Amino acid sequence: DGHAMKTDVDALAAVSSEVPGWHGAVLRVLTSQAVRPLTRWMYRQVVRNRHRWFGTACNLPADRARLLP
């Protein structure tokens, strides 16, 4: 069913056919059934360590007046 919510690697697999070029090809390979256990492990590692590796991405301005209503 096309309207079910998908998470982690299943969400990547669902959008991989829409991604053009070599990026899409890489996503399709990584989300194939043959390597999906490895991809799930890699995805969990990134999710678990994303703040340590990349820092916090949500930097809201200190001045609340600058935020959109």
Side-chain angles (χ1 to χ4, degrees), residues 49-61:
N49 296 299
R50 69 184 180 269
H51 292 294
R52 187 175 343 151
W53 294 345
F54 306 114
T56 56
C58 183
N59 296 320
L60 295 175

Side-chain angles (χ1 to χ4, degrees), residues 35-46:
V35 294
R36 195 168 284 203
L38 175 63
T39 306
R40 285 190 195 283
W41 179 84
M42 289 177 1
Y43 186 90
R44 284 193 308 267
Q45 295 305 310
V46 170

Side-chain angles (χ1 to χ4, degrees), residues 3-26:
H3 298 292
M5 180 181 276
K6 297 180 177 27
T7 59
D8 60 68
V9 177
D10 297 327
L12 287 174
V15 300
S16 66
S17 63
E18 302 295 322
V19 177
W22 67 269
H23 296 95
V26 169

